[in-house]
Amino acid sequence: MSDCLFCKIAAGDIPSGKVYEDDDVYAFKDIHPKAPTHVLVIPRQHIATLADCHDPALLGTLMDRARMIADDILQLAAGYRIVINVRDGGGQEVFHLHVHILGSKKLPF
Ligand code: 5GP
Ligand code: ZN
């Protein structure tokens, strides 16, 4: 989508701290990290929110890549948190589906 911030980041039109990319997803460092490690994983396809996604294969790929990035690339061996904020009430500010990976400190719940 032409006016979507995360579509522009995935396309390379807006600079980001890239962590990983493939044909399906793009991962980059959050600009305002809420933990020492804070990475966002997004599908290349524009989907506004988790609630708008009815594609189990896409969701499976997104979650599998988040796991791979956290374990193999970021090497968060002590553990990490995966978060998806959904719509305003869930704290979502950017309306392109994204998975937060948070780690490198003990996270209170
Ligand atoms: P949400 O609140 O929608 O779940 O999370 C959006 C996240 O995107 C926030 O943690 C915010 O810091 C991050 N963010 C917003 N704008 C940018 C940007 O231009 N670049 C990067 N790297 N992260 C951004
Ligand atoms: Zn988008």
Side-chain angles (χ1 to χ4, degrees):
M1 220 172 75
S2 58
D3 62 347
C4 169
L5 172 65
F6 284 1
C7 281
K8 289 177 183 168
I9 285 177
D13 295 338
I14 291 177
S16 69
K18 185 176 83 175
V19 171
Y20 174 81
E21 69 175 324
D22 62 25
D23 289 347
D24 300 312
V25 308
Y26 186 89
F28 56 103
K29 293 178 184 171
D30 195 291
I31 203 165
H32 295 127
K34 280 84 180 171
T37 298
H38 188 171
V39 167
L40 304 174
V41 188
I42 65 175
R44 288 196 181 274
Q45 181 181 338
H46 179 85
I47 298 165
T49 82
L50 177 65
D52 299 301
C53 187
H54 305 281
D55 183 341
L58 185 149
L59 291 175
T61 297
L62 188 61
M63 204 52 72
D64 180 70
R65 296 301 191 283
R67 174 204 55 74
M68 182 277 291
I69 291 164
D71 287 334
D72 300 343
I73 296 178
L74 302 173
Q75 303 201 319
L76 298 171
Y80 48 87
R81 181 167 297 160
I82 296 290
V83 172
I84 300 177
N85 297 325
V86 184
R87 296 182 174 153
D88 293 329
Q92 186 174 5
E93 294 178 353
V94 178
F95 282 75
H96 178 127
L97 173 61
H98 52 281
V99 174
H100 296 257
I101 301 171
L102 298 149
S104 302
K105 73 169 185 182
K106 185 83 176 169
L107 296 162
F109 187 71

